[in-house]
Amino acid sequence: MHYKFSSKKPHTHYIDVELVITGLQDSVTIVNLPVWRPGRYELGNFAKNIKRFEVSDLNGNALPFSKKDKSSWIIENGSEQSFIISYSYYANQPDAGACFCNEDQLYVNPVHCCLYVHDKIHDKHTVELNIPYGWNVATSLKRESGHTFCASDFDELADSPFIASSTLKHFTYKYNSILFHVWIEGHYIPDADKLINDFMAFTKLQIDVMQHFPAEEYHFLIQALPFKFYHGVEHLKSTVLALGPAEKLNEKDYYKELLGVASHELFHVWNVKSIRPAEMMPYHFSKENYASTGYVYEGVTTYYGDLFLRQIGRA
């Protein structure tokens, strides 16, 4: 499963996606778009954002397809063991859990816009970004080469947002051999030493309390927005934090909000991403994942996220 992302007309907020599927055994293939997503633990009608859905073999010949339901398609590939799906995805929701595209950045939560094949969900998935020269990429996905990244399976891909931009600010720190990245997109110029010292303080305390960390690297992806906003979404190896207004994030109250949501989302690495409700083992992307323990994975995380900040004197 190989995805190519680009945006031919970024001012329209459409992301262009090309998916190459290989190694097929059957003459009919069903492809799906998730309808439920981890991190927000809710149903989403992501398929409504898809436009210009086309299917062809590797020589460019059109293949017949039909809709199975609003979020899945039936591809009649016959003897073709490989084919290409091309589509556009409307991305104009700059929060911590969706997708956004314009002339300045390409921001993607793959669970919103990456099709999958159920029988290949455990296969390796690769992502290739066709982005302007000089743009950097913030993501927890492993870089294969250039702007090509890989995930071990669809579950990891769906859990790995990325931001590509020419204006990303990047800071790092390390604790217990674990490398932490802080990426900032937007018009927020932090006091870098203070920001890293504060992030290091709550990170160190959380790891010391929990006695391990379930990833080799971790990425804070911060969307500094031009309007008032507060939102965070957790992932196993990263989080997206969307806050604003960007020009006020150095002010005391807004900066405390940044530290608060960052500490909260980091603790989710353990509580819900690693210690997960049985109803979400594994995630089912095609239907609701009912669980009655939201008060544990959100309530307890809110309590401890704030407690850690108070213990380091940042609350």
Side-chain angles (χ1 to χ4, degrees):
M1 303 283 286
H2 182 73
Y3 305 83
K4 297 180 181 179
F5 282 86
S6 63
S7 182
K8 299 179 181 69
K9 298 179 179 179
H11 65 282
T12 66
H13 303 294
Y14 274 100
I15 299 171
D16 300 303
V17 185
E18 181 179 285
L19 170 59
V20 181
I21 304 176
T22 59
L24 297 166
Q25 303 298 321
D26 298 325
S27 59
V28 175
T29 304
I30 298 176
V31 297
N32 311 276
L33 193 67
V35 300
W36 183 90
R37 61 152 301 161
R40 301 185 81 169
Y41 315 105
E42 64 183 11
L43 290 173
N45 183 15
F46 310 134
K48 72 181 186 300
N49 295 321
I50 287 186
K51 178 184 178 182
R52 194 190 56 80
F53 190 96
E54 301 173 352
V55 186
S56 64
D57 63 24
L58 298 186
N59 294 316
N61 301 307
L63 294 178
F65 67 89
S66 59
K67 289 293 291 287
K68 180 175 181 288
D69 53 48
K70 71 177 181 179
S71 297
S72 60
W73 291 257
I74 301 171
I75 315 299
E76 298 177 29
N77 49 293
S79 62
E80 298 291 337
Q81 295 182 332
S82 305
F83 58 79
I84 301 170
I85 302 175
S86 300
Y87 56 99
S88 296
Y89 188 87
Y90 185 65
N92 192 22
Q93 189 175 337
D95 62 17
C99 302
F100 181 74
C101 172
N102 65 7
E103 296 89 341
D104 299 320
Q105 69 166 302
L106 174 64
Y107 163 47
V108 172
N109 269 273
V111 72
H112 277 237
C113 58
C114 285
L115 297 163
Y116 69 93
V117 176
H118 182 75
D119 291 343
K120 301 179 76 64
I121 204 165
H122 299 298
D123 291 2
K124 177 182 176 181
H125 290 59
T126 55
V127 173
E128 179 183 345
L129 305 182
N130 182 6
I131 53 179
Y133 177 80
W135 281 30
N136 293 320
V137 182
T139 184
S140 63
L141 290 170
K142 183 179 178 181
R143 188 187 300 270
E144 285 203 330
S145 63
H147 291 143
T148 300
F149 303 83
C150 69
S152 59
D153 53 22
F154 184 78
D155 190 272
E156 182 183 6
L157 175 65
D159 197 42
S160 302
F162 60 82
I163 302 173
S165 168
S166 66
T167 56
L168 278 166
K169 292 172 279 292
H170 185 209
F171 309 94
T172 62
Y173 62 97
K174 184 177 286 189
Y175 182 64
N176 278 8
S177 75
I178 303 158
L179 184 61
F180 291 83
H181 301 259
V182 180
W183 301 89
I184 301 173
E185 172 59 25
H187 298 290
Y188 167 43
I189 302 175
D191 179 336
D193 290 338
K194 177 177 175 58
L195 182 75
I196 295 306
N197 286 338
D198 289 344
F199 272 55
M200 169 70 90
F202 69 70
T203 298
K204 179 180 183 299
L205 180 57
Q206 291 195 23
I207 294 175
D208 288 348
V209 169
M210 299 304 291
Q211 300 183 4
H212 80 292
F213 194 77
E216 295 179 357
E217 289 191 359
Y218 188 84
H219 297 253
F220 294 92
L221 279 59
I222 300 173
Q223 286 279 8
L225 301 174
F227 46 83
K228 186 173 177 60
F229 203 76
Y230 178 91
H231 188 209
V233 174
E234 68 269 12
H235 305 278
L236 179 62
K237 300 177 183 178
S238 66
T239 181
V240 181
L241 313 176
L243 296 102
E247 67 272 14
K248 292 188 176 183
L249 290 179
N250 282 322
E251 297 180 9
K252 182 179 179 181
D253 289 344
Y254 288 94
Y255 183 70
K256 285 177 64 175
E257 287 192 342
L258 170 58
L259 293 184
V261 70
S263 177
H264 175 102
E265 299 302 340
L266 182 63
F267 193 66
H268 267 311
V269 170
W270 295 279
N271 193 25
V272 84
K273 297 309 299 183
S274 300
I275 307 168
R276 193 188 303 179
E279 297 90 340
M280 299 182 193
M281 296 289 290
Y283 291 133
H284 300 286
F285 295 103
S286 62
K287 63 180 182 179
E288 301 90 336
N289 290 225
Y290 286 112
S292 60
T293 49
Y295 69 97
V296 176
Y297 56 79
E298 283 299 338
V300 171
T301 299
T302 297
Y303 173 79
Y304 274 103
D306 292 344
L307 178 63
F308 290 129
L309 289 183
R310 177 169 291 277
Q311 290 177 338
I312 64 172
R314 304 300 195 276

